[in-house]
């Protein structure tokens, strides 16, 4: 099917861009400081040295990147998470503030250690990542759950299980949509979070690990958890989802890929915004696919994320 299907369903996003339709998203989970090396070829295997063409540091993490995507798209967003009160944590906090993300509940623990990632990006845009997930308290009893009442939707990744479970439980009680970024995690994490998830969007590796296969048929098998939508993102293969007993697919937008780092996170942030704005599932998937594709045209996990109006123009002009 065409990637530009159902563009007429996206009018609510123009209202978000003009502030006529206020949308507020809470994103909870991992924030990491990414150290990025750009190389002209990937490692061949074994011990070797490769010359880096470029090096830089920038904020990363699934829910963290999603929150920046929401802010750049033009909606209100808060990031709830943990880091150490160290140089990396302070740098991440400053980066959030610069992007317009509310960090009142991004807590820097004095005895904690921040999450840091090393990322190698080759000339084709593919990347390899090694991550130290950090050390912080698991308890979520300090979260200001009364603030959930002001959210249009909430998103969590699986890296802070207690926090995600607490946030989703409160959102469910208030009838606020919950979106889970289904990245790699132990099976017991998904078994705990999926029953309180409305929209679960897996990566292919995570779906294969949890369901035994990344094929579309695996999505239907996860319907037992009661999610409204079970989806899997497939990069240039688009996205597939299971909803109301039926399987659906959305084609990817074809772009010249520079860097895929953070594309899945951007997809999730755009999707949480779209659901918070009241879009139907097909329109939300189309918008999210376009936003992620536009990001892939730029180096860096957060660079190139468009404003909503830029994304709408792209969708109308891109076949």
């Amino acid at each position: 099917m065409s990637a530009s299907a159902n563009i007429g369903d996206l009018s609510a996003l123009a209202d978000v861009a003009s502030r006529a339709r206020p949308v507020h998203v809470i994103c909870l989970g991992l924030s990491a400081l990414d150290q990025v090396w750009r190389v002209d070829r990937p490692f061949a295997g074994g011990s070797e040295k490769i010359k880096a063409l470029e090096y830089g540091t920038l904020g990363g993490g699934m829910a963290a990147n999603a929150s920046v995507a929401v802010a750049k798209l033009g909606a209100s967003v808060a990031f709830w998470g943990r880091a150490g009160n160290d140089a990396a944590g302070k740098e991440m906090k400053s980066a959030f503030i610069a992007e317009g993300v509310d960090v009142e509940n991004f807590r820097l623990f004095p005895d904690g250690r921040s999450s840091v990632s090393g990322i190698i990006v080759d000339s084709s845009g593919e990347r390899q990542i090694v991550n130290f997930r950090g050390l912080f308290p698991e308890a979520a009893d300090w979260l200001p759950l009364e603030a959930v009442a002001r959210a249009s939707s909430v998103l969590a990744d699986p890296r802070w299980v207690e926090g995600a479970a607490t946030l989703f439980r409160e959102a469910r009680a208030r009838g606020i949509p919950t979106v889970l970024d289904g990245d790699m995690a132990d099976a017991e994490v998904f078994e705990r979070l999926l029953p309180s998830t409305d929209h679960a969007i897996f990566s292919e590796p995570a779906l294969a690990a949890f369901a035994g296969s990344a094929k579309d048929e695996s999505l239907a098998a996860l319907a037992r958890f009661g999610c409204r939508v079970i989806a899997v993102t497939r990069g240039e293969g688009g996205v597939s989802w299971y909803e109301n007993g039926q399987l659906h697919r959305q084609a990817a937008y074809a772009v010249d890929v520079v860097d895929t780092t953070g594309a899945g996170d951007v997809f999730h942030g755009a999707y949480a915004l779209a659901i918070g704005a009241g879009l139907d599932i097909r329109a939300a998937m189309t918008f999210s696919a376009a936003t992620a594709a536009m990001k892939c045209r730029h180096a860096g996990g957060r660079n190139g994320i468009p404003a909503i109006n830029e994304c709408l123009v792209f969708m109308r002009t891109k076949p």
Side-chain angles (χ1 to χ4, degrees):
M1 69 180 61
S2 168
S4 58
N6 286 357
I7 286 181
D9 296 337
L10 303 176
S11 58
L13 292 176
D15 292 338
V16 176
S18 68
R19 308 292 182 179
R21 184 188 296 258
V23 171
H24 178 63
V25 180
I26 296 172
C27 297
L28 177 148
L30 176 67
S31 179
L33 187 67
D34 290 347
Q35 303 182 45
V36 183
W37 291 264
R38 302 193 180 280
V39 299
D40 60 0
R41 64 176 179 84
F43 281 102
S47 298
E48 62 177 310
K49 292 183 180 179
I50 295 180
K51 181 180 179 180
L53 304 177
E54 186 180 347
Y55 168 79
T57 62
L58 62 157
M62 292 166 290
N65 285 341
S67 71
V68 172
V70 175
K72 287 194 171 189
L73 285 164
S76 169
V77 62
F79 177 76
W80 293 6
R82 306 162 297 163
N85 190 25
D86 49 26
K90 293 172 183 176
E91 185 171 347
M92 287 186 281
K93 195 165 192 174
S94 295
F96 278 132
I97 293 170
E99 297 288 7
V101 177
D102 180 341
V103 292
E104 183 177 354
N105 295 293
F106 177 41
R107 178 169 288 191
L108 305 185
F109 290 88
D111 297 326
R113 295 179 64 191
S114 295
S115 177
V116 180
S117 295
I119 302 174
I120 298 173
V121 183
D122 66 29
S123 57
S124 70
E126 294 301 321
R127 80 275 196 236
Q128 296 172 307
I129 302 175
V130 59
N131 170 246
F132 171 68
R133 292 186 180 174
L135 295 172
F136 352 81
E138 177 67 12
D141 53 1
W142 54 272
L143 291 176
L145 296 181
E146 68 280 359
V148 177
R150 299 191 295 275
S152 309
S153 63
V154 302
L155 175 149
D157 66 40
R159 294 294 174 261
W160 181 16
V161 182
E162 193 62 37
T166 300
L167 175 62
F168 278 15
R169 183 169 57 249
E170 183 69 18
R172 267 288 179 88
R174 296 179 179 272
I176 296 167
T178 59
V179 180
L180 177 64
D181 182 337
D183 196 50
M184 291 294 296
D186 293 336
E188 53 264 32
V189 171
F190 291 126
E191 289 166 357
R192 181 176 181 189
L193 296 180
L194 285 174
S196 57
T197 298
D198 297 314
H199 306 262
I201 306 177
F202 286 85
S203 66
E204 284 188 290
L207 180 63
F210 181 56
S213 169
K215 294 181 179 179
D216 286 350
E217 292 74 16
S218 298
L219 300 174
L222 299 185
R224 68 185 186 276
F225 289 101
C227 304
R228 178 185 174 191
V229 172
I230 300 279
V232 58
T233 56
R234 303 188 184 281
E236 64 181 6
V239 58
S240 303
W241 73 96
Y242 186 80
E243 176 194 8
N244 293 329
Q246 292 186 323
L247 185 66
H248 307 266
R249 296 183 181 88
Q250 170 63 46
Y253 284 84
V255 296
D256 293 329
V257 174
V258 174
D259 187 356
T260 62
T261 303
D265 308 333
V266 170
F267 184 102
H268 286 85
Y271 186 86
L273 186 159
I275 292 301
L279 271 66
D280 63 31
I281 304 304
R282 168 71 65 184
M285 293 291 183
T286 305
F287 170 67
S288 303
T291 305
M294 293 181 75
K295 174 261 144 317
C296 289
R297 302 184 303 182
H298 301 266
R302 298 177 179 177
N303 295 329
I305 301 170
I308 285 179
N309 284 333
E310 293 175 309
C311 190
L312 293 177
V313 170
F314 171 85
M315 295 171 71
R316 293 187 182 107
T317 58
K318 192 75 174 178

